[in-house]
Amino acid sequence: MREFDIDVPRSDGAAPTPTDLLRDPLVFIAEDHMRARTMCATIDAFAAAPRRDERVLSAIQDFFADELMPLIEDESCDLVPLLAQRAEPEDDIPRLRTRLAAEHAALSTAMEQLKADLSALPRDLTPSPLALRRALRDFTADLRRHLILENAILVPLARARFSEADLDQLRASMLARRGLNGTTAA
């Protein structure tokens, strides 16, 4: 088994994942998962707050558009299909792939609705509507469960099955998705 460690400190998830971590796309995904967990806590706090904080609202909207959607696309469009090509029969990838596709679709649909609902909020400091607050909490609960599955099964399988060429292919797709050239994370 190859080592994939990059000599960088672990992120606390407080800021978007540094693109230099794309040198190893699986490390980048793991750090993106850390960021997502941190943002779940931020979203939960926003949903529970008695007054709306516009800076936090903006950070949530940016996270949905600029970080979470590309992560879902990285996994749906590149990571999972590539893993399906490399998997061994005992990996049971068809079942995992079906579950991940359903979860990615549900998260994407919920996120699009939340983005619309958040954008429609009046620009004052009143509390968010109760239905929106519940939807945000439901979303974070679903996202956390999804991240557990990916961290426990998907990423370790990819670490075990991917070659350097596979990682290069995954990295190239992830860089392109972010509008970066192929030398940015090399």
Side-chain angles (χ1 to χ4, degrees):
M1 183 183 213
R2 297 175 347 272
E3 286 296 320
F4 289 87
D5 296 326
I6 291 180
D7 213 11
V8 295
R10 292 282 308 190
S11 167
D12 62 1
T17 305
T19 57
D20 65 330
L21 293 181
L22 279 165
R23 290 176 295 183
D24 183 329
L26 297 177
V27 167
F28 184 90
I29 288 171
E31 291 299 311
D32 252 7
H33 287 176
M34 172 70 78
R35 171 69 171 160
R37 287 191 302 271
T38 300
M39 285 304 297
C40 283
T42 299
I43 294 166
D44 286 343
F46 177 82
R51 296 176 58 94
R52 226 177 19 248
D53 183 325
E54 288 297 315
R55 290 175 304 164
V56 174
L57 172 60
S58 179
I60 292 167
Q61 291 170 315
D62 291 347
F63 169 71
F64 283 161
D66 301 334
E67 297 177 66
L68 188 55
M69 198 63 234
L71 173 62
I72 290 172
E73 291 172 356
D74 291 340
E75 295 166 353
S76 295
C77 299
D78 299 305
L79 180 65
V80 174
L82 185 57
L83 186 56
Q85 294 173 18
R86 302 296 179 252
E88 298 294 329
E90 65 269 14
D91 296 338
D92 198 15
I93 292 300
R95 187 171 62 138
L96 178 62
R97 191 174 191 177
T98 299
R99 179 174 174 187
L100 289 171
E103 289 182 10
H104 283 154
L107 287 167
S108 295
T109 298
M111 185 172 39
E112 289 304 316
Q113 183 61 56
L114 288 171
K115 284 169 46 179
D117 293 346
L118 291 169
S119 292
L121 288 172
R123 295 296 175 207
D124 59 27
L125 300 179
T126 60
S128 301
L130 183 58
L132 175 58
R133 293 161 60 179
R134 284 183 181 145
L136 287 166
R137 286 191 303 266
D138 290 347
F139 178 81
T140 60
D142 291 344
L143 180 55
R144 284 181 178 109
R145 276 190 297 275
H146 178 73
L147 292 171
I148 290 168
L149 172 67
E150 290 183 339
N151 288 331
I153 298 173
L154 182 66
V155 173
L157 270 176
R159 285 192 188 284
R161 302 291 184 234
F162 284 1
S163 67
E164 287 299 324
D166 295 331
L167 293 171
D168 290 344
Q169 179 183 340
L170 181 59
R171 177 184 314 104
S173 294
M174 292 170 70
L175 286 166
R177 185 168 290 110
R178 287 158 180 80
L180 303 171
N181 68 35
T183 61
T184 300

